[in-house]
Amino acid sequence: MIGQTVAHYRITAKLGSGGMGVVYDAEDTKLGRHVALKFLPQDMASDTSMLERFEREARAASALNHPNICTVHSIDVHEGKHFIAMELLEGETLAERIRKGAFELGELLEVGTQIADALESAHARGIVHRDLKPANVFVTPRGQAKILDFGLAKIEVARAGGDETSEAPTAIPQQELTQAGSTMGTVSYMSPEQARGQVTDARTDLFSLGTVLYQMATGTLP
């Protein structure tokens, strides 16, 4: 897709890929800025649950305005290609940073506080992330944390302006999930109630945050 124009975005480079799509660096020709475009794979676009998860990620993140949550600009479809336009970030994931070694206390407190503050903002809006892990947190060269991937988010629409709660099951990479029931999330960071497939609330994110902080402090999982 390099060099192609999708809607008013000109794709310039591939940034990465994962279970829920491929991400490209693209130029917004209307506003003259670079953004990240996340495309849902074509084979998933016909899967209702996958499309719902993709749209949930955009809705959840776009409902939040916080310096430590990656900004979503829009969600769109062009010639059958579903994509999310979001803030283009520089730096590395928290997972990549942890692989270099444990954090010094000051840096741990700074980044950990930013993540906790972002979660508090999301929870105040009735949004539970449910897949907080180092791979879903980006750290910029200036040490600013950005939470990514709200694809598993539980949105309490009643608190966000509606009257329903979204908790649809979704797909996770095989190496990172349990298969029983409607369990969703990444096993190493999952709260006990989430692992059992029970109803989750903001406390499941706090459990995951504790695991992430432990790993940042020690370089290993608890």
Side-chain angles (χ1 to χ4, degrees):
M1 293 186 67
I2 309 299
Q4 294 184 25
T5 298
V6 178
H8 57 278
Y9 301 101
R10 184 166 56 247
I11 298 174
T12 58
K14 182 178 178 180
L15 298 176
S17 60
M20 277 300 294
V22 183
V23 182
Y24 294 93
D25 183 337
E27 180 187 359
D28 182 336
T29 58
K30 285 187 176 180
L31 297 177
R33 64 179 177 182
H34 277 260
V35 299
L37 295 187
K38 182 176 182 178
F39 286 87
L40 182 68
Q42 288 290 94
D43 59 333
M44 291 185 179
S46 58
D47 186 319
T48 302
S49 65
M50 292 295 98
L51 187 55
E52 285 180 353
R53 174 180 172 179
F54 195 70
E55 292 173 346
R56 187 184 308 120
E57 174 181 358
R59 289 199 308 271
S62 64
L64 302 168
N65 181 17
H66 193 281
N68 301 117
I69 295 174
C70 183
T71 301
V72 167
H73 301 308
S74 65
I75 183 169
D76 207 344
V77 58
H78 177 79
E79 296 180 352
K81 298 182 178 70
H82 295 263
F83 66 93
I84 299 172
M86 64 185 77
E87 176 183 11
L88 179 64
L89 300 173
E90 295 183 4
E92 60 187 351
T93 66
L94 187 56
E96 292 168 330
R97 168 60 185 82
I98 289 173
R99 281 195 284 271
K100 297 176 182 178
F103 280 63
E104 295 293 334
L105 181 59
E107 186 184 11
L108 186 154
L109 291 174
E110 176 62 29
V111 174
T113 298
Q114 292 180 47
I115 298 171
D117 192 61
L119 288 176
E120 191 278 333
S121 180
H123 296 163
R125 294 294 302 273
I127 296 173
V128 183
H129 191 283
R130 296 198 300 179
D131 197 22
L132 185 70
K133 58 185 177 182
N136 282 342
V137 178
F138 209 84
V139 182
T140 72
R142 298 181 63 183
Q144 184 179 21
K146 293 273 190 175
I147 297 181
L148 314 170
D149 195 355
F150 279 78
L152 285 185
K154 174 184 176 183
I155 306 172
E156 296 178 7
V157 186
R159 296 178 65 182
D163 58 2
E164 297 179 357
T165 299
S166 169
E167 194 169 2
T170 56
I172 320 295
Q174 288 292 329
Q175 69 273 19
E176 294 186 344
L177 56 65
T178 56
Q179 298 294 321
S182 60
T183 298
M184 298 174 289
T186 305
V187 171
S188 298
Y189 306 91
M190 195 183 292
S191 67
E193 63 271 22
Q194 191 173 3
R196 298 187 188 106
Q198 298 172 344
V199 174
T200 53
D201 57 27
R203 290 171 293 183
T204 196
D205 283 347
L206 299 185
F207 184 98
S208 300
L209 175 59
T211 306
V212 170
L213 292 174
Y214 183 99
Q215 191 175 9
M216 290 171 64
T218 64
T220 61
L221 283 164

XYZ file of all heavy atoms in Angstrom, residues 10 38 44 83 94 114 121 149 188 214:
88
model
N -2.176 9.938 2.132
C -1.178 9.332 1.265
C -0.232 8.498 2.122
O 0.468 9.016 2.986
C -0.398 10.397 0.492
C 0.593 9.806 -0.509
C 1.110 10.820 -1.512
N 1.732 11.971 -0.859
C 1.225 13.200 -0.906
N 0.089 13.446 -1.554
N 1.856 14.197 -0.301
N -4.528 2.722 10.943
C -4.623 1.309 11.312
C -5.729 0.666 10.485
O -6.892 1.048 10.586
C -4.929 1.168 12.807
C -5.006 -0.283 13.282
C -5.216 -0.326 14.785
C -5.255 -1.751 15.305
N -5.422 -1.800 16.777
N -10.957 -9.955 8.053
C -11.667 -9.700 9.306
C -12.849 -8.754 9.117
O -13.753 -8.728 9.946
C -10.722 -9.095 10.352
C -9.664 -10.038 10.871
S -8.690 -9.273 12.193
C -7.578 -10.635 12.609
N -10.514 1.625 8.336
C -9.297 2.108 8.986
C -9.610 3.160 10.045
O -10.653 3.813 10.020
C -8.309 2.678 7.960
C -8.780 3.921 7.250
C -8.463 5.192 7.734
C -9.528 3.832 6.081
C -8.884 6.333 7.080
C -9.953 4.979 5.413
C -9.634 6.233 5.911
N 6.190 0.196 25.825
C 6.703 -0.080 27.162
C 7.342 -1.469 27.203
O 8.330 -1.687 27.907
C 5.569 0.026 28.183
C 5.931 -0.061 29.666
C 6.968 0.981 30.046
C 4.676 0.094 30.512
N 1.517 8.513 35.073
C 0.839 8.910 33.840
C -0.178 7.852 33.406
O -1.307 8.181 33.010
C 1.862 9.133 32.722
C 2.773 10.320 32.927
C 3.758 10.465 31.783
O 3.410 10.398 30.617
N 5.023 10.664 32.124
N -9.061 8.693 34.164
C -9.878 9.479 33.246
C -10.835 8.585 32.463
O -12.008 8.914 32.289
C -8.979 10.261 32.286
O -9.736 11.027 31.379
N -4.729 0.919 21.988
C -5.546 -0.274 21.746
C -6.675 -0.478 22.749
O -6.569 -1.260 23.684
C -4.660 -1.521 21.700
C -5.401 -2.712 21.084
O -6.609 -2.579 20.802
O -4.782 -3.764 20.885
N -1.107 -13.023 31.245
C -0.112 -12.597 32.235
C -0.523 -11.364 33.024
O -0.003 -11.118 34.117
C 1.224 -12.315 31.537
O 1.721 -13.482 30.918
N 5.021 -3.887 38.459
C 5.961 -4.896 38.973
C 6.992 -5.225 37.911
O 8.195 -5.299 38.195
C 5.196 -6.151 39.390
C 6.060 -7.226 39.996
C 6.156 -7.383 41.375
C 6.802 -8.097 39.195
C 6.963 -8.376 41.935
C 7.607 -9.081 39.731
C 7.687 -9.216 41.104
O 8.483 -10.188 41.644
